[in-house]
Amino acid sequence: MLDRTDDVSIAAENWLSEFESAIAKPDESALKKLFHPESYWRDVLALSWHLQTINGGDEILRELKVHAIRAAPRDFAIDPDRAAPRPVTRAGTVSIEAIFKFETAQGRGSGILRLIPDAADGNRLKAWTLLTALDELKGFEEQLRSARPRGQSYSRDFRGPNWLDLREASAQYADRDPIVLVVGGGQAGLAIAARLKQLRIDTLIVDRETRIGDNWRKRYHALTLHNQVQVNHLPYMPFPPNWPVYIPKDKLANWFEAYVDAMELNYWTGTEFESGSYDEADGRWSVALRLADGAKRVMRPRHVVMATGVSGIPNLPDIPALKNFTGTVLHSSQYDDGEPWKGKKALVIGTGNSGHDIAQDLHSRRADVTLVQRSSTLVTNIEPSAQLAYAAYNEGTLDDNDLIATSMPLVLARRSHVMLTEQSRNLDKELLDGLTRVGFKLDYGDGGTGWQFKYLTRGGGYYFNVGCSDLVASGAIKLIQFEDIDSFVADGVWMKRGERLAAELIVLATGYKPQEVLVRKLFGTDIATRVGPIWGFGEGQELRNMYTRTPQPGLWFIAGSLAQCRINSKYLALQIKAIEEGLLPRSA
């Protein structure tokens, strides 16, 4: 492997030059020499108009030949405004990593190339991974890439509308419907609406909460984000440099309000999306909204973006005997503060992040807390273990790190997270041994892939320890297994071993129903069946129906962490813009 900076850059430049020549024809024999037998190509809209990952040299060649003629990629070059080519270690493999730029017939893109030697071909450097990602559409660039808008002239019309008048009129939609209706005003909704705004797509966000940011503000009192501030910026407006490493929920909620105002996003609070039906001939939705004052409004947008994150429908497990309990039962979404439960006995059912945090909050208010485990749970200390996955964001630019995150194919991402999980287990050994001693059931994800893949497949099943695990291990917070409960009674539970465990509060930290349930409720069975599963990985190597065209034209989904929403909102917005400009069909 090359070490000198000049040699590394030359190797990357030579590969890109050969690739451009080979793909222009396309020349199968020349392309074959450029890809390692173990190689991966992830294309994010640039050549295929899909989010897709292709594994193996032969498969990559077949796909490249199909898409290269239409897309006409060219002008591949190392991007001088990005991190310079360098040796890196990704998924345990040392490679030369280079960030490049290129153009296609319709757009401009960025990519990442990683080269490794092919021992079967005299250690010739060949592509191990290749990312090609669309950044912008020619002729339809984002507004922020243009000169600042003049707005109102310095020569003012004192009798005409001012900026605030125009903003309020725009947000009222008195004489028009939006092109895009975004359902949900959390980080997903804000990110996609901000991207669409910059692409000049008329977009309205609707959210059932009464105030922007309430989807964070109304969560339990002690909540802060579990990953660090440098990972979590929204598009275009990074958090100020004086912000804390872990952002408190109310601080984030207030930022959401400021973001909507600063980015001039149209946002209706207190608005419930009740139903939607699609007119195939007209290519529009008919959606029913219930407004804050109880009035109804029917709109006909061309696109509906579901940005509700989890469905918002609490998952209430079927526990028939729970009706016997005469105390207070709350779902975790209803829990706010432990102060009213000071000196009282509480059971918290569920051992994910919410269950642990609520148990710890109750304990801090001097409640007598028992944590009830229903299934094995991954536990990792919030520092340093849980932050290992974000190590790249501690250096370099946000744009570079987002592109690096986008570039990792699923196979290698799994490999990386197996290694990180093993590292975490070693770092957290003392804590994990303590939990095992008190009977806590641990797991490390499917195939040892850790918390990140639990999130991507299940949306939960893990806990970032900020102290609750230590309390459980010490016995300060008691632990029982759900399977050891015989029945619920008026004042608590009877255990199978014949003792009563008293309780005045039961908190169900049992998560939420999947998105498919919400789709069926809002759009009906036919559309839900047509769309199919949402989130998680199916037979392909991309999240199902996320950030891309779905089998239902005009229906889109975006969800995830702030980082996921920041990254993928760009690609979702580009697809909507391409459809609106006639560059892309409505259906995948």
Side-chain angles (χ1 to χ4, degrees):
M1 183 67 67
L2 303 175
D3 293 317
R4 291 192 310 162
T5 301
D6 289 348
D7 290 343
V8 167
S9 294
I10 290 169
E13 288 168 356
N14 287 343
W15 191 95
L16 290 171
S17 177
E18 292 180 45
F19 179 68
E20 182 167 348
S21 297
I23 203 172
K25 300 178 183 178
D27 184 336
E28 183 172 348
S29 62
L31 283 169
K32 191 174 183 66
K33 296 175 183 176
L34 294 174
F35 286 90
H36 196 276
E38 184 206 350
S39 52
Y40 308 87
W41 172 38
R42 185 159 195 242
D43 184 58
V44 182
L45 308 179
L47 274 66
S48 67
W49 275 120
H50 292 283
L51 278 63
Q52 64 176 22
T53 303
I54 309 298
N55 296 358
D58 292 340
E59 288 296 321
I60 290 172
L61 297 186
R62 275 194 286 272
E63 288 292 318
L64 279 173
K65 286 194 297 181
V66 169
H67 299 299
I69 295 173
R70 180 199 59 78
R74 63 183 184 278
D75 297 337
F76 288 85
I78 301 298
D79 191 334
D81 297 325
R82 302 275 204 162
R86 57 190 172 165
V88 299
T89 300
R90 307 286 186 207
T93 297
V94 178
S95 67
I96 292 172
E97 181 176 271
I99 301 179
F100 61 90
K101 59 183 180 178
F102 64 100
E103 293 192 13
T104 68
Q106 295 177 325
R108 301 178 189 90
S110 297
I112 292 185
L113 166 69
R114 296 189 183 94
L115 298 171
I116 61 173
D118 182 0
D121 191 11
N123 284 329
R124 175 188 172 114
L125 288 172
K126 297 183 179 181
W128 177 44
T129 75
L130 179 68
L131 168 73
T132 48
L134 183 65
D135 285 333
E136 62 184 8
L137 296 167
K138 292 177 180 177
F140 308 106
E141 294 81 3
E142 291 183 328
Q143 284 180 314
L144 59 82
R145 293 184 176 272
S146 307
R148 284 185 181 273
R150 291 286 296 177
Q152 289 179 304
S153 169
Y154 65 86
S155 177
R156 295 169 180 82
D157 178 359
F158 283 83
R159 293 193 298 177
N162 69 3
W163 171 85
L164 181 59
D165 297 328
L166 295 172
R167 280 291 304 126
E168 289 177 343
S170 173
Q172 285 174 2
Y173 288 92
D175 57 357
R176 75 190 198 284
D177 288 336
I179 301 299
V180 179
L181 184 71
V182 176
V183 183
Q187 63 262 22
L190 298 189
I192 185 57
R195 299 284 193 189
L196 290 166
K197 171 84 174 183
Q198 293 306 310
L199 291 171
R200 302 171 181 84
I201 299 288
D202 190 0
T203 301
L204 170 65
I205 304 168
V206 296
D207 193 279
R208 64 188 178 188
E209 299 292 353
T210 56
R211 182 180 171 191
I212 298 167
D214 272 355
N215 40 34
W216 282 96
R217 192 178 288 109
K218 288 185 174 181
R219 299 191 193 188
Y220 55 89
H221 188 73
L223 178 64
T224 63
L225 269 63
H226 290 105
N227 53 2
Q228 297 180 349
V229 64
Q230 68 270 20
V231 183
N232 287 318
H233 305 288
L234 287 169
Y236 314 118
M237 277 181 61
F239 298 122
N242 66 329
W243 273 42
V245 172
Y246 295 100
I247 304 173
K249 69 177 181 72
D250 298 286
K251 193 173 186 69
L252 183 66
N254 293 345
W255 181 260
F256 281 10
E257 280 189 313
Y259 187 85
V260 167
D261 185 48
M263 298 303 297
E264 299 186 9
L265 307 181
N266 294 334
Y267 192 124
W268 287 4
T269 56
T271 302
E272 187 83 21
F273 184 101
E274 293 190 325
S275 64
S277 59
Y278 190 71
D279 185 330
E280 296 279 352
D282 196 29
R284 287 183 180 270
W285 291 92
S286 177
V287 301
L289 305 176
R290 180 168 50 82
L291 309 186
D293 62 1
K296 298 293 182 75
R297 172 75 183 267
V298 174
M299 284 185 160
R300 290 181 55 77
R302 287 202 281 270
H303 306 270
V304 173
V305 179
M306 298 299 295
T308 55
V310 293
S311 68
I313 302 174
N315 180 39
L316 302 175
D318 183 16
I319 308 173
L322 186 59
K323 65 180 182 295
N324 299 330
F325 180 66
T326 57
T328 300
V329 179
L330 299 175
H331 185 262
S332 57
S333 60
Q334 300 168 299
Y335 178 88
D336 176 39
D337 186 7
E339 188 62 29
W341 303 100
K342 181 178 180 179
K344 298 182 180 180
K345 298 180 184 296
L347 296 177
V348 179
I349 300 177
T351 49
N353 274 317
S354 294
H356 276 89
D357 283 353
I358 290 169
Q360 188 172 359
D361 186 60
L362 286 163
H363 174 79
S364 74
R365 311 294 176 156
R366 299 183 183 176
D368 182 352
V369 187
T370 298
L371 194 60
V372 183
Q373 187 172 28
R374 300 171 69 219
S375 57
S376 62
T377 307
L378 185 150
V379 173
T380 185
N381 280 320
I382 193 165
E383 284 192 356
S385 298
Q387 307 309 317
L388 294 174
Y390 302 115
Y393 282 87
N394 295 330
E395 58 185 31
T397 68
L398 186 67
D399 284 346
D400 283 359
N401 288 320
D402 282 353
L403 197 66
I404 290 167
T406 303
S407 73
M408 292 304 291
L410 180 63
V411 171
L412 298 185
R414 286 184 184 276
R415 191 181 302 172
S416 294
H417 282 278
V418 169
M419 297 168 66
L420 292 174
T421 303
E422 187 60 30
Q423 187 178 353
S424 298
R425 289 179 66 174
N426 292 331
L427 289 168
D428 299 338
K429 185 176 187 307
E430 183 178 352
L431 173 71
L432 300 177
D433 287 348
L435 288 171
T436 300
R437 281 194 294 271
V438 297
F440 193 95
K441 295 179 180 178
L442 293 165
D443 70 54
Y444 303 98
D446 182 29
T449 50
W451 70 264
Q452 184 85 310
F453 275 89
K454 276 203 159 192
Y455 173 65
L456 293 172
T457 55
R458 293 178 44 191
Y462 55 88
Y463 169 56
F464 295 153
N465 179 41
V466 292
C468 189
S469 289
D470 303 273
L471 295 170
V472 173
S474 70
I477 290 177
K478 295 183 285 294
L479 173 73
I480 63 172
Q481 297 296 324
F482 186 83
E483 64 193 31
D484 292 332
I485 295 175
D486 181 68
S487 64
F488 288 79
V489 293
D491 57 353
V493 297
W494 273 105
M495 304 300 292
K496 290 179 179 176
R497 58 180 177 263
E499 64 180 288
R500 182 177 62 86
L501 186 62
E504 293 150 284
L505 169 69
I506 294 177
V507 180
L508 299 172
T510 49
Y512 296 83
K513 293 185 181 297
Q515 275 266 27
E516 297 93 294
V517 176
L518 182 62
V519 173
R520 184 170 289 105
K521 174 185 175 183
L522 298 179
F523 300 102
T525 299
D526 288 348
I527 287 178
T529 301
R530 184 179 306 154
V531 172
I534 304 160
W535 199 254
F537 298 97
E539 295 180 0
Q541 299 177 73
E542 305 289 341
L543 287 170
R544 293 176 295 192
N545 285 309
M546 296 300 302
Y547 323 122
T548 188
R549 288 175 292 169
T550 69
Q552 171 57 55
L555 184 60
W556 308 79
F557 297 89
I558 181 170
S561 65
L562 274 87
Q564 279 180 293
C565 293
R566 178 185 68 246
I567 293 168
N568 291 294
S569 59
K570 173 182 179 178
Y571 304 120
L572 197 162
L574 283 169
Q575 291 170 86
I576 291 177
K577 181 65 174 179
I579 290 170
E580 287 302 299
E581 299 299 338
L583 304 176
L584 189 64
R586 288 179 294 171
S587 300

